[in-house]
Amino acid sequence: MPDIGSVWSELGGDPALLARVSTVVRPGALPARLPVRELARACVGACALAAAELGAHRAGRVEVPRVTVDDGAVATAFTGERHLLVDGRAPQTFAPLSRFWRTADGWVRTHANYPHHRARLLHALDVPEDPAAVGSALRDRPALEVEEAVYGAGGLAVALRTPAEWAAHDQAAALATRPLVERVRLDTSRARALPPLDGTPLLPAAGLRVLDLTRVLAGPVATRTLALLGADVLRLDAPHLPELPDQHADTGFGKRSATLDLAAGRDRFEELLAAADVVVTGYRPGALDRFGLSPEALAERRPGLVVAQVSAWGAYGPWGGRRGFDSLVQVATGIAAVEGSAERPGALPAQALDHGTGYLLAAAVLRALTGQAYGDAAGGGRLVRLALARTAAWLQDGSPLPEDGAGADGAEVGTVPYDGPARWLAETDSPVGRLRYARPAVSFADGPHDWARPPGSWGVDAARW
């Protein structure tokens, strides 16, 4: 079962630091058949501990600040897109064609939030943009046939599988050979010198520059967290692929947003890369390689760089090049079958694979920075890589749930009732309107309590540091 001790070990952390973590357990938060609350708690806790550790090093402190993980704050953050209000309006989280559909022999789930994905789905099915027409086209076709046809057209549809069916899939076999958090040394450059920190709040990532090449949702959660911790985060998007406005409002806290054509604007990108400390990518594996953005190519041009990658299915195996989203990974890996009923598939109470993997990715970046500057094998560029489907396997590892308050890693634990998200919501004015949003879940002594800036409009900032 997911716990902070196991993931901290995956991150290469010192097990003695787990004693610095305290947990407020709130039964009833993120209710599910699978241990979603435990996964969420572990991911946020590991990220907060990694932040506190780096902050202590940079501030010259002997002792790492205490970390508090509150299930209520974590649950609110993991469902943050549902709590978001923009000028009092609740965003639409899924488009009408992003849903479960019956097929001749089961179910498929489609994802059509973006216009280009919606167009490809409709082209594959040869139907107009009408839910009734889509449903009619799917009812007489086998689920696996639909999956392959839509994928072949560049769209997104995944057949419902049980855990046993997924375990027999070649992609599951490829994932089983990989760690939850992949960590690779890219070069042998000299250790970077991180300037010392003083004052409060303690911002472990202050002065670091992060290029954010991510979309929906794990990558933006990771870079939003790095921005909370003081990093200068510049998100870059292709001009022809605008982000959904409400989605950008949810994940754009603390960042700047610019557009850049990676082919026409190559010189500008190289200028940004030359001064970057971290590059985070969230596109399907291989999609950016043609622009010279593979981890190895980036590290060759910018020795000492930390490269962080997140994907849906992993960068290997027969599905290594496929697009995917949290909702689809839940369907393929058996989670939707476990959380559903005989009548209909179900879903986790949050996009927990996205959020959890996002916090783990931020934690992996922070630990890589600590290792570069202060570790026994200091220096060198680092690659950290995670996949939603690998996080799904961790969620379903089959271990029994502990009693609430048991504290799998031995840290101090308290148990109190969960009374809803209200105390972890805040409001702020922003360039996109008055926002109600989920406050940060990452918390440690003397650390930041909120982002330094609200989200701005998509693509309005200059592509420069």
Side-chain angles (χ1 to χ4, degrees):
M1 188 208 69
D3 65 84
I4 188 174
S6 63
V7 74
W8 187 244
S9 175
E10 289 263 359
L11 291 164
D14 179 358
L17 293 182
L18 291 169
R20 305 301 295 167
V21 181
S22 298
T23 304
V24 180
V25 177
R26 296 184 185 269
L30 297 175
R33 292 170 182 163
L34 291 167
V36 178
R37 177 160 49 97
E38 289 75 13
L39 176 141
R41 180 195 302 153
C43 294
V44 171
C47 185
L49 185 57
E53 177 192 31
L54 178 58
H57 278 296
R58 294 189 64 185
R61 299 187 182 183
V62 175
E63 198 167 54
V64 170
R66 282 205 158 275
V67 169
T68 301
V69 188
D70 191 310
D71 282 351
V74 172
T76 305
F78 267 58
T79 54
E81 63 273 14
R82 301 179 195 172
H83 300 301
L84 179 70
L85 294 179
V86 183
D87 288 331
R89 173 186 58 82
Q92 180 185 61
T93 55
F94 284 100
L97 298 185
S98 297
R99 47 166 283 195
F100 283 108
W101 306 87
R102 275 201 175 276
T103 64
D105 59 353
W107 295 85
V108 295
R109 181 152 189 167
T110 55
H111 196 287
N113 285 5
Y114 286 106
H116 57 293
H117 291 155
R118 182 166 61 249
R120 293 167 186 170
L121 171 67
L122 297 172
H123 174 72
L125 300 178
D126 193 23
V127 295
E129 189 175 339
D130 173 53
V134 173
S136 178
L138 293 175
R139 271 193 294 272
D140 297 327
R141 300 179 66 174
L144 292 178
E145 178 186 299
V146 171
E147 179 181 272
E148 290 304 312
V150 175
Y151 166 70
L156 292 143
V158 171
L160 177 72
R161 291 171 172 81
T162 65
E165 289 169 336
W166 176 247
H169 196 283
D170 288 345
Q171 189 61 29
L175 287 164
T177 66
R178 304 284 178 147
L180 176 64
V181 182
E182 294 185 64
R183 298 180 288 128
V184 177
R185 190 161 178 144
L186 292 172
D187 60 50
T188 57
S189 58
R190 294 179 62 185
R192 70 181 61 210
L194 297 179
L197 298 177
D198 55 18
T200 302
L202 184 64
L203 298 174
L208 296 171
R209 289 170 168 170
V210 177
L211 275 180
D212 178 0
L213 308 177
T214 71
R215 295 169 74 86
V216 209
L217 178 64
V221 166
T223 52
R224 182 182 66 183
T225 303
L226 295 174
L228 169 74
L229 299 171
D232 180 4
V233 179
L234 177 63
R235 173 166 166 167
L236 294 179
D237 286 284
H240 65 284
L241 290 176
E243 182 59 281
L244 302 174
D246 293 335
Q247 199 158 260
H248 183 72
D250 178 44
T251 60
F253 281 86
K255 310 178 193 178
R256 293 179 294 123
S257 170
T259 60
L260 185 67
D261 185 316
L262 290 177
R266 185 56 179 263
D267 289 345
R268 175 53 60 87
F269 179 82
E270 293 302 321
E271 292 173 4
L272 293 170
L273 175 63
D277 300 291
V278 180
V279 174
V280 185
T281 68
Y283 291 79
R284 62 189 174 88
L288 298 177
D289 289 7
R290 69 184 186 276
F291 299 108
L293 301 183
S294 70
E296 295 77 14
L298 289 168
E300 183 177 349
R301 304 200 303 280
R302 174 67 171 93
L305 188 70
V306 173
V307 181
Q309 291 187 322
V310 61
S311 63
W313 308 106
Y316 34 75
W319 282 18
R322 291 201 177 195
R323 299 173 179 85
F325 294 95
D326 181 304
S327 58
L328 303 183
V329 176
Q330 290 189 40
V331 172
T333 60
I335 290 173
V338 171
E339 294 292 337
S341 65
E343 290 75 33
R344 186 176 179 82
L348 299 177
Q351 294 187 69
L353 305 180
D354 260 334
H355 285 275
T357 306
Y359 286 109
L360 288 183
L361 193 67
V365 168
L366 295 164
R367 290 244 64 253
L369 292 166
T370 298
Q372 282 184 327
Y374 308 105
D376 294 336
R382 310 293 171 100
L383 167 64
V384 296
R385 186 159 54 194
L386 288 100
L388 304 189
R390 182 63 184 83
T391 304
W394 184 45
L395 176 64
Q396 301 178 85
D397 73 356
S399 299
L401 289 171
E403 294 293 328
D404 276 330
D409 45 48
E412 175 187 348
V413 176
T415 302
V416 295
Y418 176 63
D419 55 0
R423 74 178 70 182
W424 297 286
L425 298 174
E427 293 193 9
T428 187
D429 290 316
S430 80
V432 299
R434 181 74 177 174
L435 301 180
R436 186 189 74 176
Y437 64 98
R439 292 168 53 197
V442 171
S443 177
F444 57 93
D446 297 332
H449 297 293
D450 211 334
W451 289 275
R453 56 184 289 170
S457 298
W458 177 83
V460 300
D461 296 300
R464 62 170 178 261
W465 295 117

